[in-house]
Amino acid sequence: MDNNLQDYSHKRYNILTGEWVLVSPHRAKRPWQGQNETISNEQRPAHDPSCYLCARNTRINGEINPDYKDVFIFTNDFAALQTTSPIFSVNDGLFKAESEQGICKVICFSPDHSKSLADMEVEDINKVVEAWQKEYILLGSNEMINYVQIFENKGAVMGCSNPHPHGQIWSQSTLPNEVEKKDQHQKSYYDKNKRSLLGDYLKQELEVNERIIYQNDDFVVLAPFWAVWPFETMIVPKKAYTNITELSASESLAFAEAISKITKAYDALFQTSFPYSSGIHQAPTNGENNDHWHWHMSFYPPLLRSATVKKFMVGYEMFGSPQRDITAEQAVDRLKALVK
């Protein structure tokens, strides 16, 4: 790779969205006198009687959680999308709006309030993967639903209101913005080359081996060339599967192993329970031919220099384009050394 990329400002192109990120490696040396986050490393109990997500506890709507032993899923008590929304549209000059219907669920990864994915055994993470697969099928089979978004917000700094290990699944009638962009770019490449865009990208990444953090027989964990967040990573299946339900039992376990490896490395990086937003982008459930899709899981962690220094998306990022200081390759060097 060109050494200039490690020393001088430049732009990198995101092949999945068609957008650019500004990289300014020389800025990593600047002194920091900005805000320092408060990171809590308190030891949480295995069961918190005040937690709405713990087993046997009563949620805000009055329902009592079952005495679950592994994964527990329920419809979000404060869902952002509704099945009862009427179908309507507004086309009034430059005022345009459309109704949106959907189903939102909460998925508790474990009954143990003290854990995160990084603390769980691979076999237990695999139960989460299997639950994701079942929900993708269940929700996607609903005629109203054309996309299923699986994600997790971990840590208060990412807006997570409850520390219990959990994620969310939002399913909706249309494709959200990021998915729409990735759908278009993957389809354009597939139509032209008859191959997966991410498959060809992954082949090139494996050849240069500069941004690979971990790999097993079925998955690769890497920092994408166009990464925006300081320690952003992506888990990509080596086979061009369109969605997570196409995984075999052994591949599902390999995916769980990849999740375990990167989340443990994150926690080891700054010796803290590492905050992030993660999400799986996969083929829509719209009944169309989506052979151009190559599903993947991304992690967007906000921490920059330490457990207390956060990357803020403000100023130029809000009005111009995303910008980062440390390069993807520098981030990989640090994360790769922590994979056990």
Side-chain angles (χ1 to χ4, degrees), residues 204-250:
Q204 188 174 347
E205 283 286 19
L206 289 169
E207 287 174 351
V208 300
N209 195 27
E210 290 186 335
R211 284 167 294 277
I212 306 298
I213 298 169
Y214 166 80
Q215 64 174 307
N216 54 34
D217 290 341
D218 304 299
F219 286 87
V220 176
V221 183
L222 55 81
F225 180 72
W226 56 83
V228 170
W229 294 93
F231 294 96
E232 177 179 335
T233 59
M234 178 187 292
I235 301 177
V236 188
K238 291 182 177 179
K239 293 181 181 178
Y241 292 135
T242 66
N243 65 75
I244 58 174
T245 68
E246 296 174 354
L247 298 175
S248 67
S250 63

Side-chain angles (χ1 to χ4, degrees), residues 10-279:
H10 61 277
K11 295 192 300 182
R12 298 194 185 191
Y13 183 70
N14 185 330
I15 59 172
L16 290 172
T17 65
E19 298 171 340
W20 294 85
V21 53
L22 175 64
V23 184
S24 313
H26 55 286
R27 277 171 52 88
K29 301 174 183 178
R30 77 189 195 279
W32 180 260
Q33 292 182 308
Q35 178 171 319
N36 284 272
E37 305 296 324
T38 299
I39 300 296
S40 174
N41 281 321
E42 65 174 341
Q43 297 297 312
R44 300 196 306 270
H47 183 275
D48 183 347
S50 66
C51 171
Y52 292 121
L53 301 183
C54 277
R56 308 182 304 280
N57 287 358
T58 302
R59 298 205 306 276
I60 194 68
N61 68 350
E63 292 186 22
I64 299 176
N65 296 330
D67 189 16
Y68 63 96
K69 302 303 180 183
D70 40 61
V71 178
F72 170 50
I73 301 174
F74 62 92
T75 300
N76 198 318
D77 298 325
F78 298 97
L81 294 159
Q82 304 164 306
T83 58
T84 55
S85 297
I87 297 177
F88 65 89
S89 64
V90 175
N91 283 286
D92 182 9
L94 297 179
F95 302 145
K96 185 175 181 179
E98 293 181 358
S99 59
E100 185 73 12
Q101 295 180 317
I103 302 168
C104 297
K105 293 188 176 183
V106 174
I107 171 171
C108 296
F109 300 150
S110 167
D112 193 329
H113 184 80
S114 69
K115 290 186 175 181
S116 69
L117 287 174
D119 304 312
M120 293 167 58
E121 299 295 328
V122 171
E123 292 74 14
D124 292 325
I125 297 176
N126 191 43
K127 293 177 182 178
V128 176
V129 173
E130 292 172 342
W132 287 338
Q133 293 170 325
K134 291 176 182 177
E135 287 298 320
Y136 178 85
I137 294 173
L138 177 64
L139 293 167
S141 63
N142 189 317
E143 189 175 346
M144 174 206 316
I145 301 301
N146 288 302
Y147 190 72
V148 178
Q149 181 61 65
I150 297 167
F151 66 96
E152 178 195 4
N153 294 322
K154 180 193 174 192
V157 72
M158 297 307 293
C160 184
S161 60
N162 190 312
H164 192 98
H166 75 285
Q168 299 186 56
I169 305 173
W170 290 17
S171 57
Q172 61 189 99
S173 54
T174 64
L175 272 59
N177 295 342
E178 291 302 302
V179 177
E180 182 73 39
K181 286 182 282 190
K182 291 188 175 184
D183 183 65
Q184 292 175 359
H185 282 81
Q186 288 186 96
K187 189 175 190 310
S188 176
Y189 189 89
Y190 187 86
D191 288 346
K192 180 180 179 181
N193 301 283
K194 305 305 177 187
R195 297 190 307 273
S196 155
L197 172 61
L198 266 186
D200 282 358
Y201 167 72
L202 186 58
K203 180 181 178 181
Q204 188 174 347
E205 283 286 19
L206 289 169
E207 287 174 351
V208 300
N209 195 27
E210 290 186 335
R211 284 167 294 277
I212 306 298
I213 298 169
Y214 166 80
Q215 64 174 307
N216 54 34
D217 290 341
D218 304 299
F219 286 87
V220 176
V221 183
L222 55 81
F225 180 72
W226 56 83
V228 170
W229 294 93
F231 294 96
E232 177 179 335
T233 59
M234 178 187 292
I235 301 177
V236 188
K238 291 182 177 179
K239 293 181 181 178
Y241 292 135
T242 66
N243 65 75
I244 58 174
T245 68
E246 296 174 354
L247 298 175
S248 67
S250 63
E251 289 170 331
S252 175
L253 192 63
F255 178 34
E257 181 184 47
I259 293 173
S260 176
K261 292 291 185 181
I262 188 57
T263 53
K264 279 180 166 58
Y266 277 147
D267 280 8
L269 181 61
F270 293 135
Q271 296 298 307
T272 189
S273 184
F274 210 78
Y276 58 74
S277 279
S278 67

